[in-house]
Amino acid sequence: MKLNLESLENKLAWESYRMPQYDIPAMAARTKAAPTWLHFGAGSMFRAFPAVLAQRMLTAGLTDTGIICCEAYDEELIDACYRAHDNLSLAVTLYADGRLKKEVVGSIAEALTLGTDYDRVAEIFAAPSLQMVSFTITEKAYPLRDNDKNLYPDVAHDMENGPKGTQSLIGRVISLCLHRMHTCGKPIALVSMDNCQNNSMRLRWSMMEIAYAWKAAGLIDDAELSYLSEQVAFPITMIDKITPHPDPKIAEHLAADGLEGMTPCVTAKGTIYAPFVNTEQPQYLLIEDNFPVGHPPLEQLGVIFTRSDIVLKTAMMKACTCLNPNDTTLAVYGCLLGYTKISDEMQDKDLVNLITRMSEIEAMPMVSDPGVLDPHEYLHEALAVRYPNPFMPDTPQRIATDTSQKLATRFGVTLQGYYDSPLPKYRVCKLKYLPLALAGWLRYLIGVDDKGEAFELSPDPNLKMLQKHLEGIKLGTEKVTEAQLYPILSSKPIFGVNLYEVGVAEKVTEYFRELIAGPGAVRQTLHKYCGDN
């Protein structure tokens, strides 16, 4: 039993799976002829969410075309994960009671690589039927510069050479938009679905910086610049669906069904992939209603199209209060305490108390209430349903990736809110749990767990710089000077605020000293401040 179109003909073998209720080859042919939705980023989030949404629309008869995906970074995925299976995928939804919902997703009409299939991608951009180009390329793909403010080499090349022969993803997207201008002449919406604040606007800022450089150098004309600035829309989004790496246990379950080739693999670039994705049942997607040539009827599936300010408030509610700060806190302390699953951490009373009190007592007073989702209900679902789900194999180690690039949003916004508040009850000096979370991240950077054993830190572009500042600090270090921590704790790029200026650096330092006192100090400190008593 293989995951391909031929195998789907044996209906009996797939009786425990939800199957596509449409003619897949016919759908693919219609989509290729008149594409409406192109997506960049062929990873697990795409297959678990946008591709499933496309399937729902096809099943309900809301559309007769599917979705096309294009991978621009790890192109090995396309051959290994898509073409090897006739562009079919398996979406496995994991419920907290142990149920699995297994679905064959057939809505992906084409799977392309930007490098080898650029001409085909250009054809798609030129199609008058195209309404939306979406992205899940991770927040690292949007900046044009490294931490030293230097242009990345491929971006520098594009800045100098113009729209022809672009090398960077952002440069290529601009060139494709200009190709659309010169072919069909219609507008287009570019929609980031990455989990970062102002996601589509980040895409716009990067694109327009390059475009203005091209205009200044005479590489594009006024009409082309005008098209990019006025005819390309950038609707912002708030997306939320936990999609961990493929779990070997799910692979075993699928193999027991008779499916071949389900074992997760790793590409040369380090991407973990499998023919299936495992994901949770809760999901949220809000999109700014700014589509100059319309959009697929996603509102029929519960996707909320609304004003930009409501989307931004919802994104801030999630990223600054109800979910992402808890993600980071569980990630760093989970690594320190030897946990390998987030759900297992939710059996740890000290950690549960830490994230519950941090979010309910300290972060919630500064929450951005969007009106369309209740912050308290959203937080309760995260704490009571999503995190404790023992069948969601998400790991602290995965979530700890790139933490230095996430702290400004996840903690800095709340700290700034306290700093700006005129109310005495909202003084920064009264914060207790939020500083403990930040101190936990500093303790994590030492690379030694609470038993005193070294562990591998998750990838982070700032890791070498951060560890250099912390050089010489180890378990049992009695003197940690302000001068040593100042470059980190005063960094606005990292925290969004200068922790000394807002008045929380001293408490973070105090907690950090307790956390490095010796083996067992992490548990002792957590219990001291987060125990039931």
Side-chain angles (χ1 to χ4, degrees), residues 414-426:
T414 296
L415 287 172
Q416 188 67 55
Y418 271 88
Y419 183 72
D420 292 338
S421 175
L423 301 179
K425 66 177 180 178
Y426 296 137

Side-chain angles (χ1 to χ4, degrees), residues 453-474:
E453 300 174 356
F455 67 90
E456 183 178 356
L457 296 174
S458 300
D460 190 314
N462 293 318
L463 200 54
K464 289 184 179 179
M465 176 270 291
L466 292 164
Q467 290 191 308
K468 184 176 181 180
H469 288 307
L470 297 173
E471 194 172 20
I473 298 178
K474 54 187 179 181

